[in-house]
Amino acid sequence: MAQCCSPKPAATTFLRHPPNSPRISTLFTLPAIPSSSTKFPSISLLSPCSRRRSFPVAAATAAVDSPPEISDHEDGKRHLLEVKDLTAVIAESQQKILNGVNLTVYEGEVHAIMGKNGSGKSTFAKVLVGHPDYEVTGGTVTFKGQSLLEMEPEERSLAGMFLSFQSPIEIPGVSNADFLNMAYNARQRKLGLPELGPIEFFSHVYSKLDLVNMKMDFLNRNVNEGFSGGERKRNEILQLAVLGADLAILDEIDSGLDVDALQDVAKAVNALLTPKNSVLMITHYQRLLEYIRPTYIHVMENGRIVKTGDISLALVLEKEGYKAISTA
């Protein structure tokens, strides 16, 4: 999920695939772009200096750096996200899908949510960002000390929450550079910080390209249009790197990635971790946890978290499956 801006307030947009295609709903904040808006210049036209520069791309490495060890919650450490007894239903059918989720994420932590298909993992992520397909029926959610459920989706995004979807969609007619520049400036305005014009923004985004092992020409391409699965996932992490979210929710960021792409994505996520931000990642496989080491692992079943542990819990799941901890 990314934020964007224009002279008018941002509007939240939910795109759905045609009825005959698999139903995937995607949220992002993207206002209408006026026809008179200034487009981000082509990379080749930025400046004579930029044309002469050499732009190295980091090569994939076999070893992926892990974030520093996080100690127990010392005095003064704030929680970013606190979820208490969260319940939710599918808006259209009123089918109950979340059955009392409890979760607390402190600054500097990495949390992984695992569970069988249909256990409520992706639904939980979408409810946190305010997806309209779901209706909250009970419980509370606070983000950075404020009630998250009282915020509109675009407000949650601008407040520092980021969601990377399983299947990022294409946005025809909008270049990556324009999209990222608008999203970055929307966040800057929210924080009361200076906005960047296209040329200045390029200097900011340039270093982020190396982080996710992407080439410059990705900036001139339309968002995800013609991208491979791996390129789409890298592009999601590029958005995260540019926006500098406080809480990154990564929904199966490892799906469809080969080993090299997974290592690049994991290395970028680890590089973005600081003592002040956190990651909540959803995955089916232990493989991702070998590259992004979680502080805690939570197992979800029937719309609630039924087990919490450290990395050893993933080893149990890998060996024995979810029957080892099932409450059924």
Side-chain angles (χ1 to χ4, degrees):
M1 180 179 68
Q3 314 102 307
C4 302
C5 68
S6 74
K8 298 180 180 180
T12 303
T13 304
F14 293 87
L15 299 186
R16 290 175 174 81
H17 290 267
N20 294 330
S21 63
R23 187 173 183 276
I24 302 174
S25 299
T26 301
L27 175 149
F28 59 91
T29 305
L30 180 64
I33 302 174
S35 58
S36 60
S37 62
T38 302
K39 293 293 183 180
F40 197 102
S42 169
I43 297 302
S44 63
L45 299 178
L46 280 173
S47 70
C49 294
S50 66
R51 291 198 295 269
R52 291 194 299 266
R53 289 178 63 185
S54 172
F55 297 94
V57 177
T61 56
V64 178
D65 297 331
S66 294
E69 293 289 333
I70 302 296
S71 61
D72 292 338
H73 312 317
E74 62 270 16
D75 292 340
K77 191 171 186 179
R78 297 187 309 156
H79 68 257
L80 286 179
L81 180 73
E82 188 172 31
V83 181
K84 292 184 178 180
D85 299 320
L86 180 64
T87 59
V89 297
I90 299 174
E92 185 174 343
S93 66
Q94 293 296 297
Q95 176 186 348
K96 198 169 185 180
I97 196 76
L98 295 182
N99 296 291
V101 179
N102 292 281
L103 176 69
T104 300
V105 178
Y106 284 80
E107 293 175 333
E109 293 182 340
V110 176
H111 290 244
I113 297 181
M114 306 182 74
K116 293 181 287 188
N117 288 331
S119 61
K121 304 183 302 299
S122 292
T123 296
F124 178 48
K126 291 178 181 179
V127 167
L128 288 179
V129 298
H131 199 293
D133 279 359
Y134 305 96
E135 177 185 330
V136 173
T137 55
T140 61
V141 183
T142 57
F143 179 58
K144 296 164 63 176
Q146 295 183 309
S147 175
L148 189 73
L149 302 180
E150 295 179 2
M151 300 181 189
E152 294 297 323
E154 62 268 26
E155 294 175 325
R156 304 179 195 197
S157 179
L158 292 173
M161 182 173 285
F162 177 93
L163 174 60
S164 170
F165 283 90
Q166 291 183 38
S167 303
I169 57 117
E170 297 180 1
I171 309 178
V174 181
S175 74
N176 258 331
D178 285 331
F179 185 79
L180 290 170
N181 195 185
M182 290 186 295
Y184 176 83
N185 282 339
R187 177 92 165 121
Q188 291 293 96
R189 284 201 304 274
K190 175 69 176 179
L191 297 173
L193 298 174
E195 299 178 36
L196 297 181
I199 302 299
E200 295 84 2
F201 179 72
F202 173 73
S203 297
H204 174 70
V205 76
Y206 162 66
S207 62
K208 313 299 182 184
L209 292 171
D210 274 357
L211 186 66
V212 292
N213 201 1
M214 292 177 72
K215 297 179 180 179
M216 283 191 303
D217 61 6
F218 279 90
L219 294 178
N220 288 329
R221 294 170 62 180
N222 291 338
V223 179
N224 292 326
E225 194 169 32
F227 284 22
S228 68
E231 288 171 339
R232 292 186 183 212
K233 294 301 177 74
R234 293 173 195 263
N235 205 29
E236 291 280 287
I237 301 305
L238 176 62
Q239 294 174 25
L240 173 60
V242 169
L243 298 175
D246 298 301
L247 178 64
I249 305 171
L250 309 180
D251 191 0
E252 297 194 27
I253 195 68
D254 52 331
S255 65
L257 298 185
D258 59 30
V259 173
D260 288 342
L262 176 60
Q263 289 175 350
D264 283 344
V265 166
K267 185 174 183 180
V269 171
N270 285 327
L272 294 171
L273 279 169
T274 74
K276 294 296 183 181
N277 61 19
S278 299
V279 169
L280 177 63
M281 56 186 183
I282 295 167
T283 184
H284 283 288
Y285 306 109
Q286 183 193 348
R287 182 179 70 158
L288 178 64
L289 309 183
E290 295 174 356
Y291 298 114
I292 305 175
R293 302 286 290 184
T295 315
Y296 296 104
I297 294 175
H298 311 278
V299 178
M300 207 165 204
E301 183 178 321
N302 297 323
R304 54 191 293 266
I305 292 173
V306 297
K307 184 77 172 179
T308 294
D310 57 18
I311 189 65
S312 63
L313 181 56
L315 301 177
V316 173
L317 295 174
E318 184 77 10
K319 183 178 180 181
E320 303 180 32
Y322 290 104
K323 63 180 182 296
I325 50 88
S326 177
T327 60

